[in-house]
Amino acid sequence: MKTIRPTAALNLFLLIFLLAMSPPSNSEKKPEKDSTKLRTAPNILFMIADDWSYPHAGVYGDPVVRTPTFDRLANEGAVFENAYCAAPSCSPSRASILLGRYPHQNEAAGNLWSIIPDKFPNWVSLLKQSGYHTGKSRKGWGPGDYKSGGYEHNPAGKEYLDFETFLDDKSDDQPFAYWFGSQDPHRTYETNTGVKTGMDAESVVVPEFLPDTPCVRNDIMDYFFEAERFDRESGNIIDVLERKGLLDNTLIVMTSDNGMPFPRAKANLYDYGTRMPLAMYWKGHIEGGQRITEFMNFIDFGPTFLEAAGVEIPKAFSGHSLMALFSEEPGVKIDRTKVFLERERHANVRKGDLSYPVRAIRTKDYLYIKNFEPDRWPAGDPHVHQSVGQYGDIDNSISKFLIMEQEGKPTDKYYFELAFGKRPEEEFYVLASDPYNLRNEIENKNYRKEIASLRKELQEWMSATDDLRAKAPHTVYWDTVLYTPDYQFNDYDLNQKIKEYDMLVRKEGLFKAANCLE
């Protein structure tokens, strides 16, 4: 029997020890730091609002909301006409941004208030491993539990008080990736902030799924007020960039996570829930004044940032870089004629903790929606289950309360049914004649061919992306994953809520109180 000399035995022991102490491979090679690349790599500034819809920006033609920062980025860079969040809900949308994957690919992170697993590559973490200084202020990924998923801090980066504090913590020659997550224009709102800043209620464009009343217009102006605050704070960050001479080599993105917190918008796959404002700026790389009509999904942000930084894009990403849109050079052709959208459980608002699972495909001309559980209430149960109150997938607001008050009453449109009523298994909207997605044409024989084609495309996408619902349409997976909070655990008094709304209207230069039910 051959004996091993002590030195050889010691070397073997050390080798085994080092292998045991090495971190396990997650199938993705960690990027190596390259000091030469780092000196030329762009900074990345990602500014994301909370519940802000397209087309509520000056550059999109809205006559009331004032967004000079967004408009500047659009005019000096590019503005997107067809940008879509992966899911119309905070946590799953933000998880898809960070992980570059569709919500159904992110396990529990496909839900609101759940867990985001760290086993999937995250572009913030990859940039940090490559030598970037990374961090965030305010809302990153969430709400939810990232520690149970294996993260030490929020997946969007270490928390900093503000942008200048973040910059003070980096090396002079180190590029940065900074996430600014505003809580605006998420509810609740301070009533009358919009009208007090001089907004004209008569100029407000009321989406046709909302009743056009003075109180709804006032509610929209308060939403605009908070959108303007996000714009203003984003402008302050850009001012710091300019003052420090960092603007020219910074790739800037300004957008929102999901749609406005109004009935039939946020938490829905209609356009006001999923279609997002998006402007991108990078001097010398994005020509100013471009209006991009190609479709993009938020899973495309991660690949875009990594390509710009010269970091290898993980195979686990489902998204594709947007950089080819800004270049005349031929590259890999990506089909940008459509996007796929989805949602699972938003708030926990159905008896049994049930999700409201939906998948959709949106093209230039059509929106096709598949509701997997049409017997469930899309906006939540009519009485509180665990959170928010009645119809809890819609944030409480005077707009919501006024539509609830219309139940059973004749109105010019079926606002109550549009917001709260159950929906058929399939929906199909012809966008040229129905931009607000109000008239379901699924039974229209003139569109049989188009409906069949979209139905097939949606199923093929689900299968190709390993969607559990491709093979098990009624899976209970997203009904059973963690939901952490309990709040507003009672039905509210609808009439009392409406009476409590103290609206002001401006008449002849003076503010006067008004009643929403007059």
Side-chain angles (χ1 to χ4, degrees):
M1 183 178 197
K2 187 176 180 181
T3 58
I4 301 176
R5 290 179 298 173
T7 54
L10 180 60
N11 290 338
L12 180 61
F13 172 80
L14 288 173
L15 176 62
I16 294 171
F17 176 79
L18 289 172
L19 288 172
M21 294 301 291
S22 298
S25 170
N26 65 353
S27 78
E28 299 292 350
K29 183 180 178 182
K30 286 189 176 182
E32 297 179 358
K33 296 180 182 180
D34 185 328
S35 58
T36 304
K37 279 187 178 180
L38 285 179
R39 283 195 293 270
T40 58
N43 305 309
I44 294 168
L45 171 59
F46 186 72
M47 301 184 293
I48 183 168
D50 196 354
D51 299 359
W52 178 37
S53 286
Y54 175 98
H56 296 144
V59 72
Y60 291 130
D62 190 276
V64 176
V65 67
R66 295 156 291 200
T67 55
T69 303
F70 185 84
D71 298 351
R72 175 191 173 184
L73 295 177
N75 292 326
E76 297 182 11
V79 64
F80 284 71
E81 299 285 352
N82 284 296
Y84 292 80
C85 59
S89 175
C90 296
S91 308
S93 174
R94 290 161 185 259
S96 286
I97 290 170
L98 289 161
L99 306 182
R101 296 159 58 87
Y102 289 107
H104 66 259
Q105 297 177 312
N106 295 331
E107 297 181 354
N111 277 6
L112 182 73
W113 277 111
S114 197
I115 295 171
I116 182 169
D118 72 345
K119 68 181 183 180
F120 301 122
N122 172 336
W123 59 263
V124 173
S125 301
L126 292 173
L127 289 176
K128 183 177 181 180
Q129 292 165 13
S130 298
Y132 268 69
H133 176 52
T134 62
K136 69 134 184 124
S137 296
R138 303 194 206 168
K139 186 171 182 177
W141 173 81
D145 180 359
Y146 57 82
K147 291 185 177 179
S148 294
Y151 280 96
E152 180 182 353
H153 51 63
N154 193 285
K158 178 182 174 182
E159 178 70 18
Y160 286 87
L161 177 64
D162 53 33
F163 184 48
E164 294 214 48
T165 304
F166 166 80
L167 290 179
D168 289 342
D169 196 36
K170 82 175 188 72
S171 302
D172 289 342
D173 59 350
Q174 187 180 23
F176 67 79
Y178 178 71
W179 173 300
F180 171 61
S182 173
Q183 281 87 5
D184 292 332
H186 196 290
R187 293 189 186 273
T188 55
Y189 301 150
E190 181 181 343
T191 306
N192 301 313
T193 49
V195 69
K196 287 179 179 178
T197 58
M199 293 183 191
D200 178 17
E202 295 300 316
S203 298
V204 171
V205 178
V206 180
E208 291 184 12
F209 49 82
L210 300 175
D212 189 353
T213 69
C215 281
V216 169
R217 286 176 176 261
N218 200 60
D219 199 21
I220 292 173
M221 288 193 295
D222 292 343
Y223 153 73
F224 284 165
F225 172 84
E226 294 208 356
E228 291 185 355
R229 185 164 58 194
F230 166 64
D231 187 89
R232 185 165 58 252
E233 291 188 314
S234 297
N236 292 340
I237 292 173
I238 293 174
D239 287 345
V240 173
L241 281 178
E242 290 187 292
R243 176 161 45 85
K244 293 182 177 290
L246 297 170
L247 179 61
D248 288 356
N249 193 36
T250 300
L251 168 56
I252 303 175
V253 168
M254 187 172 177
T255 189
S256 173
D257 60 353
N258 54 249
M260 61 194 292
F262 285 76
R264 207 174 166 86
K266 178 181 175 180
N268 289 274
L269 299 191
Y270 308 118
D271 275 7
Y272 274 74
T274 59
R275 193 176 183 185
M276 297 291 99
L278 173 60
M280 294 181 64
Y281 168 94
W282 187 12
K283 186 175 181 180
H285 297 267
I286 300 177
E287 184 180 350
Q290 294 185 71
R291 296 188 84 96
I292 306 292
T293 58
E294 287 88 346
F295 282 72
M296 70 81 65
N297 186 296
F298 279 11
I299 62 174
D300 296 331
F301 283 132
T304 303
F305 296 149
L306 294 182
E307 180 181 344
V311 176
E312 184 178 353
I313 299 171
K315 294 179 181 178
F317 278 13
S318 296
H320 300 281
S321 173
L322 300 168
M323 295 310 299
L325 294 176
F326 311 122
S327 173
E328 296 181 355
E329 297 180 6
V332 178
K333 288 191 175 182
I334 304 299
D335 182 2
R336 295 200 176 277
T337 62
K338 55 184 173 286
V339 286
F340 297 96
L341 311 166
E342 63 184 278
R343 66 151 286 176
E344 283 293 339
R345 190 175 63 202
H346 181 60
N348 196 352
V349 293
R350 294 170 196 85
K351 187 176 181 181
D353 302 345
L354 299 180
S355 169
Y356 191 77
V358 191
R359 304 289 186 268
I361 178 172
R362 169 64 155 83
T363 70
K364 176 175 66 71
D365 299 314
Y366 307 114
L367 172 63
Y368 170 81
I369 297 174
K370 170 77 170 178
N371 297 304
F372 287 87
E373 300 291 350
D375 290 335
R376 298 178 187 174
W377 296 99
D381 288 348
H383 297 285
V384 71
H385 167 55
Q386 183 170 332
S387 299
V388 183
Q390 301 99 302
Y391 302 114
D393 265 354
I394 301 175
D395 292 358
N396 292 329
S397 68
I398 189 61
S399 297
K400 174 182 176 178
F401 302 148
L402 289 173
I403 295 176
M404 289 178 65
E405 197 272 338
Q406 291 181 348
E407 182 176 9
K409 298 178 181 179
T411 55
D412 60 319
K413 289 188 180 69
Y414 298 109
Y415 297 110
F416 184 89
E417 286 300 315
L418 289 170
F420 307 113
K422 291 183 178 180
R423 295 165 186 169
E425 185 176 349
E426 294 180 294
E427 299 173 68
F428 176 75
Y429 299 95
V430 180
L431 302 172
S433 59
D434 185 17
Y436 292 106
N437 316 147
L438 303 178
R439 297 188 297 277
N440 184 8
E441 302 279 7
I442 196 67
E443 301 295 337
N444 190 329
K445 296 179 181 179
N446 294 326
Y447 295 102
R448 282 179 177 174
K449 181 179 178 181
E450 290 82 0
I451 292 169
S453 176
L454 293 174
R455 185 188 290 132
K456 181 173 181 288
E457 278 195 85
L458 184 65
Q459 184 63 36
E460 289 174 346
W461 165 76
M462 291 171 60
S463 298
T465 56
D466 297 320
D467 191 339
L468 288 177
R469 295 198 184 275
K471 293 183 178 179
H474 304 289
T475 178
V476 298
Y477 174 78
W478 286 284
D479 301 337
T480 59
V481 297
L482 177 71
Y483 184 88
T484 51
D486 295 299
Y487 57 99
Q488 294 175 266
F489 194 63
N490 293 292
D491 286 351
Y492 44 76
D493 184 325
L494 179 60
N495 290 329
Q496 184 63 31
K497 287 286 187 183
I498 295 174
K499 288 179 181 178
E500 290 173 353
Y501 189 77
D502 297 322
M503 184 180 73
L504 295 176
V505 295
R506 183 184 285 107
K507 291 184 177 180
E508 299 176 351
L510 299 174
F511 288 118
K512 296 182 179 180
N515 187 311
C516 286
L517 294 180
E518 288 179 349

